[in-house]
């Protein structure tokens, strides 16, 4: 039996899992780089309690949950209908379903193909998800062959999906600025050799070339970063700062770091930054949805795995 296992960060499926999500995320050494396990656990609990009330209020604005698990399940269902070579399933890093619980569902696994649903590599995303899988694999004493699918930010077909999504919006392209919004990381993480910023910059150039080749001429195309947390230096410029600098007051946002919509796209981009844009007097502000469970993305994943 071959298992195609999609990996992602996870997100609460109900209000009770919001605390689970925060505790597990801040207890991840890739996120909170504190060497002492005991101290990191204390800090994770403290940060969680400080942020829990606000987090619940934010999730309440998008239905009390993240859409990431539901959409990922729908993507798995679609992949399973398209082929019978693999069984597609998914596991999350910070909320159920966790790797160990998912792997327990299957007997006689010959091969496990891991597909981190992050376009770019980072220790905070891809490496963290693989690490959690390795723990579960070891705990269950499995001996299946493992194949890890590499980041696909530079893949032509993946970027075509993004370009098509951008083209299908109702933006007045020639008068609108396209902002490619990536999840930010602490500068210290990048300084330690993390590839994320390099991959993001490379993809921005690839997308600009695609847009030029297809004759899609936005007023401008800019890179910005979202989701900063804490007082340390993060990757810049921030999305807020970029929105403040645009004199045309028309912006189309594409969430560059994600394949599946989650709270950082549905709440942050669609709601929080929309509020910022409204206060700045924007005439047009819209956000492109992630590839999600589209036919195009399911087909892409299957073809990329074969490659």
């Amino acid at each position: 039996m071959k298992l195609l296992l999609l990996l992602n960060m996870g997100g609460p499926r109900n209000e009770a899992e919001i605390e689970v999500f925060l505790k597990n995320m801040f207890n991840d050494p890739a996120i909170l780089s504190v060497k002492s396990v005991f101290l990191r656990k204390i800090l994770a609990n403290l940060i969680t309690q400080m942020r829990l009330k606000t987090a619940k209020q934010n999730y309440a604005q998008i239905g009390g949950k993240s859409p990431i698990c539901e959409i990922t399940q729908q993507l798995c269902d679609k992949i399973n209908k398209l082929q019978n070579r693999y069984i597609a399933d998914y596991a999350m890093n910070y909320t159920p379903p966790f790797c160990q619980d998912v792997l327990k569902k299957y007997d006689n696994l010959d091969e496990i193909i891991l597909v981190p649903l992050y376009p770019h590599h980072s220790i905070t995303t891809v490496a963290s998800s693989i690490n959690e899988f390795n723990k579960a694999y070891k705990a269950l004493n499995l001996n299946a062959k493992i194949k890890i699918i590499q980041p696909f930010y530079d893949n032509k077909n993946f970027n075509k999906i993004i370009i098509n999504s951008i083209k299908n919006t109702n933006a007045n392209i020639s008068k609108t600025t396209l902002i490619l919004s990536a999840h930010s990381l602490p500068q210290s993480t990048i300084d330690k050799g993390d590839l994320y910023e390099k991959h993001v910059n490379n993809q921005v150039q690839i997308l600009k070339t695609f847009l030029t080749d297809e004759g899609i001429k936005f007023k401008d195309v800019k890179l910005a970063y979202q989701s900063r947390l804490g007082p340390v230096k993060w990757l810049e410029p921030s999305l807020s700062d970029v929105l403040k600098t645009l004199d045309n007051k028309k912006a189309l946002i594409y969430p560059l770091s994600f394949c599946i919509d989650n709270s950082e796209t549905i709440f942050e981009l669609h709601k929080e930054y929309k509020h910022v844009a409204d206060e700045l007097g924007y005439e047009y502000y819209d956000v492109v949805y992630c590839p999600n469970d589209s036919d195009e993305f399911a087909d892409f994943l299957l073809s990329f795995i074969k490659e």
Side-chain angles (χ1 to χ4, degrees):
M1 179 187 297
K2 294 184 178 182
L3 176 63
L4 185 63
L5 190 61
L6 309 184
L7 303 176
N8 214 328
M9 61 182 175
R13 300 171 296 179
N14 50 57
E15 185 179 289
E17 287 185 356
I18 296 174
E19 186 170 0
V20 174
F21 176 71
L22 293 173
K23 278 186 178 180
N24 286 335
M25 179 174 65
F26 290 118
N27 204 34
D28 184 347
I31 302 297
L32 193 60
S33 56
V34 177
K35 291 183 179 180
S36 168
V37 175
F38 177 71
L39 181 56
R40 187 171 61 249
K41 185 175 181 178
I42 291 175
L43 288 173
N45 287 336
L46 179 61
I47 296 170
T48 296
Q49 294 311 312
M50 290 172 60
R51 295 178 59 85
L52 186 57
K53 182 179 179 180
T54 300
K56 287 183 177 181
Q57 292 171 344
N58 293 345
Y59 277 104
Q61 296 184 49
I62 56 172
K65 63 181 181 179
S66 168
I68 192 170
C69 290
E70 184 177 352
I71 295 172
T72 308
Q73 180 62 65
Q74 291 166 183
L75 177 60
C76 288
D77 293 342
K78 186 162 287 187
I79 290 173
N80 285 328
K81 288 180 181 178
L82 288 172
Q83 52 77 47
N84 56 15
R85 184 178 179 184
Y86 321 102
I87 294 176
D89 207 339
Y90 74 100
M92 297 298 187
N93 225 16
Y94 305 133
T95 58
F98 297 116
C99 267
Q100 190 162 327
D101 296 325
V102 174
L103 293 174
K104 284 179 181 177
K105 292 161 52 177
Y106 300 99
D107 296 321
N108 303 318
L109 285 173
D110 301 311
E111 184 177 12
I112 304 172
I113 302 169
L114 302 178
V115 187
L117 288 179
Y118 309 98
H120 321 95
H121 188 279
S122 173
I123 188 174
T124 64
T125 54
V126 175
S128 181
S129 288
I130 297 298
N131 185 50
E132 288 304 306
F133 168 82
N134 287 336
K135 289 179 185 177
Y137 184 91
K138 184 177 180 180
L140 295 173
N141 197 29
L142 300 178
N143 58 10
K145 180 182 176 182
I146 299 172
K147 179 180 179 181
I148 302 174
I149 301 303
Q150 298 303 307
F152 42 81
Y153 70 92
D154 57 350
N155 181 274
K156 179 180 179 180
N157 293 326
F158 176 65
N159 283 295
K160 276 187 175 181
I161 293 173
I162 295 175
I163 295 296
N164 288 336
S165 296
I166 291 170
K167 284 166 58 178
N168 290 333
T169 63
N170 62 358
N172 186 343
I173 288 176
S174 64
K175 295 183 179 180
T176 300
T177 297
L178 174 64
I179 303 177
L180 302 171
S181 183
H183 186 286
S184 193
L185 284 183
Q187 184 63 49
S188 59
T189 300
I190 302 301
D191 292 343
K192 292 175 184 175
D194 196 286
L195 295 172
Y196 178 73
E197 184 182 25
K198 178 182 178 181
H199 286 184
V200 166
N201 285 331
N202 286 348
Q203 190 181 14
V204 169
Q205 294 307 311
I206 290 169
L207 289 172
K208 284 183 176 180
T209 300
F210 264 96
L211 290 168
T212 299
D213 290 347
E214 297 208 12
I216 304 170
K217 298 181 180 180
F218 281 92
K219 181 177 175 62
D220 200 359
V221 179
K222 292 180 176 290
L223 169 64
Y225 290 95
Q226 65 184 91
S227 309
R228 291 179 55 168
L229 177 66
V232 299
K233 181 175 174 57
W234 289 67
L235 291 174
E236 297 178 335
S238 71
L239 180 52
S240 293
D241 288 342
V242 171
L243 288 173
K244 291 173 184 175
T245 65
L246 301 188
D247 55 5
N248 57 313
K249 303 302 180 187
K250 293 183 176 69
L252 180 66
I253 314 296
Y254 185 83
L256 200 63
S257 300
F258 304 108
C259 296
I260 307 292
D261 277 305
N262 55 83
S263 63
E264 293 182 25
T265 60
I266 300 301
F267 177 72
E268 274 192 52
L269 294 180
H270 284 267
K271 291 189 175 291
E272 277 196 322
Y273 284 107
K274 173 66 164 62
H275 180 68
V276 171
D278 288 344
E279 288 192 331
L280 292 169
Y282 268 68
E283 300 171 30
Y284 177 85
Y285 175 94
D286 201 6
V287 181
V288 183
Y289 287 101
C290 293
N292 288 329
D293 60 337
S294 64
D295 292 345
E296 294 80 6
F297 189 50
D299 287 335
F300 160 71
L301 287 176
L302 287 172
S303 63
F304 190 67
I305 289 163
K306 289 178 183 178
E307 291 174 12

